[in-house]
Amino acid sequence: LAGANIVFDQATDVGNGIFSGIFDCGRLLDTSTFLLVGQGSKCSWTSTRSFSISFGQNAQVSKGSPIAVCKGLLQNAVRNSEAVSGSVFLLLPTNVVKPALVINAPLRIASCDALQIDASSSYGNGGRAMVFSWGLALGPINRGSVMNVLSALPSE
């Protein structure tokens, strides 16, 4: 994810006019949410009912993350309501772009060589570092080779 759009159920007073253009999200979001959206995150109002967040560096936001604005900052558009409070939980869009995995590895290696696999060219994780888990799966082509290797290992 590179960002999120937050939509209210009705028009707000946009902080009584204290926000304009693109601004530091620390002015609008509560402390715990601000820490989740990353250093250098930027916010902007897209209408009186919604604002957008562009996540910063090292964002820790994921599906289900709580998003909350500073207490006492926003009211409804006519300013005759209690201030906005509570939080919403981030939902993923239905059309999420999946990361593209790019793997560089030799086609063949000698039996005593170390296998080096590089996936650092993979992309599509919203600017955050990707995490990889590697494993070995048996298939019709490699079943015999894998079983030979496993049977040669010392048992514990």
Side-chain angles (χ1 to χ4, degrees):
L1 294 175
N5 294 317
I6 309 302
V7 180
F8 295 93
D9 62 348
Q10 60 181 290
T12 71
D13 67 347
V14 190
N16 200 19
I18 64 171
F19 300 106
S20 63
I22 299 170
F23 54 91
D24 184 283
C25 287
R27 294 177 52 206
L28 175 62
L29 302 176
D30 77 350
T31 304
S32 58
T33 300
F34 182 62
L35 292 173
L36 287 176
V37 298
Q39 182 179 17
S41 58
K42 299 295 180 191
C43 287
S44 63
W45 285 91
T46 54
S47 75
T48 57
R49 286 190 60 210
S50 64
F51 67 92
S52 66
I53 305 169
S54 293
F55 300 144
Q57 295 177 344
N58 301 315
Q60 300 296 314
V61 179
S62 61
K63 179 182 177 184
S65 293
I67 305 292
V69 297
C70 294
K71 291 180 181 175
L73 190 61
L74 301 176
Q75 289 181 286
N76 68 5
V78 294
R79 300 188 51 78
N80 65 357
S81 69
E82 293 287 324
V84 171
S85 64
S87 59
V88 295
F89 298 97
L90 190 65
L91 301 174
L92 294 179
T94 56
N95 60 345
V96 174
V97 177
K98 293 185 179 184
L101 182 62
V102 178
I103 298 175
N104 293 309
L107 291 176
R108 295 181 187 272
I109 60 171
S111 59
C112 292
D113 288 347
L115 173 62
Q116 292 186 355
I117 301 173
D118 178 8
S120 63
S121 295
S122 299
Y123 58 92
N125 200 29
R128 294 182 300 277
M130 297 182 95
V131 177
F132 301 96
S133 295
W134 300 98
L136 181 62
L138 289 176
I141 295 174
N142 68 353
R143 182 173 301 280
S145 298
V146 171
M147 295 308 293
N148 288 339
V149 169
L150 292 176
S151 64
L153 293 175
S155 58
E156 294 184 63

